[in-house]
Each structure stands twice: as structure tokens, then as C-alpha cells.
């Protein structure tokens, strides 16, 4: 059950880090090669520019190293690495490569739930700590530019590359996680998918409609498990897919859109990196205070959905 069991070892986020490629691609640059415009893209997506380049392993390593440094941890103190990605550099071994580059001496696995990947990885990491791990490094990274059709104006303006990471550390008591939800509906795979070796295919209008429903449903389940309501939420950190989806989801949840953390205007849709990038930005800019209730919620191809409610604060053991 998604409710947190009494007596389970809890965890807190003690460090975070991000990584974005240096290359910036603006809307005007896209408009020079396809039938679109800066105004059209901004109005429909909220995106002004996106970052393109780098490898999944390289970006993951950079973000992971920042998170370790913020947490004040040496590599030997990490018990597990969970990498959420839908664009591994190789068929297998990307997480192990990141583990090696960071100097870790622990298990390393990859989780693929498309844009919901970070939520799946975060919940899995909490489970590891509940079962006895002390510290888990969770990274969400995608290099979607490699599987984007740059001649398709329906998808090319949306997707980009980036990474975000957090360190989870065990604590006495319940920790930050109050409630969570993970979900999937395989009957919707055809509206947002990418074949092996192919590019992203998306039915935009249908994805919009389904995404809002999935996000709201998942968020409501997580809040119910946490015993809180939308009025209690201080900050929403949604998947950065489309500003209109974020606005519609907030409206249906009854949360003012001003409470949403957004970085989509400068990052685009970075899939598994999306939520940790927005969370890190909110934390770095002082938008989260001790005791605040933070709702993380996302959706992805498959289609998948996931959310969790965190009460910010607490000290690692």
C-alpha cells in the first residue's frame, strides 16, 4: 500500500544537483528550419529555449557529483544508485558507468518509466531505505534530442536534454515521504511512444487530455494516502511537459498555479530530469521552507503516472 507503514525507516533529501548541456536552441532557431514561430511555440507550450547535447552518463555524473557534494558525502557512503532514464547510452550498463565515474562502490540500476521515471526511482529508493539502506543516490536523466524528429513541428519544439539528482538519507522516524502513488495504463501506449531505434511519436491533443487526468488522479491518490488536501500543499513540482498541462492540472486539483515550480521556459521537456530540475530550482530560490508540504507529480509515455507528498525538513542520521 502507498501509505507509509508505522515503524518503517524514513528518508530525507539531503542534497541535490543538476546538469544541462551548454548548447542552447531557441525557438527562433527552430523557426528557421521548420514551419513554426517563437510566438506559436511559447503560446502553446511555454517553452522559450531548450538545451541540447551531452550523453546520459555524462550529464548524470555531473548532477550526481553535485548532489553528493551538497550532502557532504564521499562516494563510499552511498549504498545504491538508481538512474531513471528512457535514453540510456547503451543497451545496458549506463547506470554502472555513472557509478564508476562517481567512484561509488554499490549496486547501480536503471528505471525506465519515460517522463515518470524519476517518480518511480524516488519511490524505489525510499523502499531500499525502508529495507535497510542508509543512503541512495537517485538521478533522472534524459537526452531526448537523440530520439526527436527535428523536422516534426509537433514534437521538435518540446524535447530536450538534462539531468537532476538527489541524495536520500535514512532518518529515525517517518522521514519526508508521507504518501505516494504509481500508476500505468498500457492501453494508451500508442498516443505517446518511441519504437526501439525510432523517434518520438505523439498524438498531441489526446496526450494533453489524458495527461491532465492521469496527473490529477495520481496526485489525489498520493494526497489521500498522506492524509492531506490540496489546500495543505505549499508547492507543486509537476513534470515539465507543457505549461498548459501544468495550468490545467493545477486548476483541477484546486491548487493556485502560482504554487507550481516551473523551469520549462528554459529547459523544455527533459523527461526523467524534468521534476528534479524543477525541484532543485525551487530549493535554490528559497521557495521551500522547513515543514512545507511539497507535491511531486508527473506523467509519461506508456502511459505512466506517479506522485508523492513530502513534508520538507528533517535531518539525516
Amino acid at each position: 500500500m502507498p501509505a507509509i507503514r508505522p515503524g518503517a525507516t524514513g528518508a530525507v533529501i539531503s542534497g541535490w544537483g543538476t546538469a544541462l548541456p551548454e548548447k542552447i536552441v531557441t525557438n527562433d532557431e527552430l523557426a528557421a528550419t521548420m514551419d513554426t514561430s517563437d510566438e506559436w511555440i511559447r503560446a502553446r507550450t511555454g517553452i522559450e529555449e531548450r538545451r541540447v547535447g551531452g550523453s546520459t552518463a555524462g550529464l548524470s555524473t555531473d548532477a550526481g557529483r553535485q548532489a553528493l557534494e551538497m550532502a557532504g558525502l564521499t562516494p563510499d557512503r552511498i549504498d545504491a544508485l538508481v538512474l531513471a532514464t528512457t535514453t540510456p547510452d547503451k543497451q545496458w550498463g549506463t547506470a554502472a558507468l555513472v557509478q564508476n565515474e562517481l567512484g561509488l562502490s554499490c549496486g547501480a540500476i536503471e528505471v525506465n518509466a519515460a517522463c515518470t521515471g524519476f517518480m518511480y526511482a524516488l519511490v524505489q529508493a525510499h523502499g531500499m531505505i525502508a529495507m535497510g539502506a542508509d543512503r541512495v543516490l537517485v538521478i533522472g536523466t534524459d537526452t531526448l534530442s537523440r530520439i526527436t524528429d527535428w523536422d516534426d513541428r509537433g514534437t521538435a519544439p518540446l524535447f530536450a536534454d538534462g539531468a537532476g539528482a538527489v541524495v536520500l538519507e535514512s532518518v529515525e522516524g517517518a522521514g519526508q515521504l508521507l504518501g505516494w502513488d504509481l500508476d500505468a495504463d498500457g492501453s494508451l501506449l500508442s498516443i505517446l511512444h518511441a519504437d526501439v531505434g525510432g523517434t518520438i511519436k505523439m498524438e498531441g491533443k489526446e496526450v494533453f487530455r489524458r495527461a491532465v487526468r492521469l496527473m490529477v488522479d495520481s496526485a489525489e491518490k498520493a494526497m489521500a494516502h498522506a492524509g492531506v488536501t490540496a489546500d495543505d500543499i505549499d508547492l507543486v513540482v509537476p513534470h515539465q511537459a507543457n505549461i498548459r498541462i501544468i495550468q490545467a492540472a493545477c486548476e483541477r486539483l484546486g491548487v493556485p498555479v502560482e504554487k507550481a515550480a516551473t523551469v520549462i521556459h528554459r529547459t523544455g521537456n527533459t523527461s526523467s530530469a524534468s521534476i528534479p530540475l524543477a525541484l532543485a530550482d525551487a530549493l535554490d530560490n528559497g521557495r521551500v521552507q522547513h515543514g512545507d508540504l511539497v507535491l511531486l507529480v508527473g506523467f509519461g509515455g506508456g502511459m505512466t503516472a506517479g506522485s508523492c507528498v513530502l513534508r520538507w525538513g528533517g535531518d539525516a542520521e
Side-chain angles (χ1 to χ4, degrees):
M1 289 290 292
I4 309 305
R5 293 177 178 175
T9 301
V12 299
I13 294 174
S14 61
W16 56 89
T18 63
L20 293 169
E22 292 185 5
K23 182 179 180 181
I24 298 174
V25 178
T26 66
N27 292 342
D28 287 332
E29 289 178 283
L30 291 180
T33 62
M34 66 179 65
D35 182 19
T36 190
S37 68
D38 174 60
E39 181 181 5
W40 190 91
I41 296 171
R42 287 183 190 232
R44 287 161 178 77
T45 70
I47 300 171
E48 301 172 12
E49 62 185 35
R50 71 284 297 145
R51 301 294 186 97
V52 172
S55 67
T56 295
L59 292 170
S60 298
T61 300
D62 290 344
R65 184 172 291 116
Q66 286 183 29
L68 290 174
E69 290 176 354
M70 176 177 283
L73 296 174
T74 53
D76 60 292
R77 300 186 68 191
I78 298 297
D79 296 317
L81 164 65
V82 184
L83 170 62
T85 185
T86 192
T87 51
D89 297 326
K90 299 183 181 296
Q91 194 69 29
W92 60 78
T94 303
L97 178 57
V98 175
Q99 178 247 35
N100 182 66
E101 290 296 315
L102 289 173
L104 308 180
S105 54
C106 61
I109 61 171
E110 293 158 40
V111 174
N112 184 349
C115 301
T116 320
F118 182 79
M119 299 309 306
Y120 273 70
L122 190 65
V123 170
Q124 182 169 334
H126 274 90
M128 289 180 172
I129 287 178
M131 292 295 290
D134 288 322
R135 299 167 193 87
V136 180
L137 177 60
V138 183
I139 306 176
T141 305
D142 268 307
T143 47
L144 292 181
S145 65
R146 295 191 287 116
I147 59 171
T148 297
D149 180 354
W150 289 98
D151 294 320
D152 177 13
R153 79 167 190 162
T155 57
L158 299 176
F159 300 110
D161 308 330
V166 299
V167 173
L168 280 184
E169 294 198 58
S170 64
V171 294
E172 293 183 359
Q176 290 178 333
L177 183 62
L178 302 183
W180 58 272
D181 172 74
L182 298 178
D183 203 356
D185 185 349
S187 70
L188 301 177
L189 175 62
S190 62
I191 68 174
L192 179 56
H193 71 281
D195 292 331
V196 175
T199 56
I200 299 170
K201 306 298 181 185
M202 183 179 71
E203 297 178 22
K205 291 183 179 179
E206 189 64 12
V207 168
F208 182 101
R209 186 169 69 89
R210 297 288 187 168
V212 174
R213 289 182 182 178
L214 283 167
M215 289 178 69
V216 171
D217 181 65
S218 182
E220 288 179 340
K221 288 177 181 176
M223 288 190 291
H225 292 310
V228 302
T229 68
D231 291 337
D232 300 316
I233 299 299
D234 297 294
L235 182 74
V236 178
V237 185
H239 168 44
Q240 310 287 297
N242 180 306
I243 195 64
R244 289 184 172 182
I245 291 177
I246 293 172
Q247 292 169 341
C250 284
E251 180 179 355
R252 294 193 187 184
L253 283 171
V255 177
V257 72
E258 292 78 18
K259 289 187 176 182
T262 57
V263 293
I264 189 173
H265 59 288
R266 59 183 176 84
T267 66
N269 181 346
T270 54
S271 190
S272 297
S274 160
I275 288 176
L277 282 172
L279 176 62
D281 183 79
L283 291 168
D284 290 341
N285 286 285
R287 294 192 63 186
V288 183
Q289 307 301 318
H290 185 90
D292 280 356
L293 287 179
V294 181
L295 170 66
L296 312 183
V297 58
F299 75 94
M303 290 181 74
T304 59
S307 57
C308 70
V309 177
L310 306 176
R311 185 178 297 281
W312 201 259
D315 299 316
E317 291 184 329

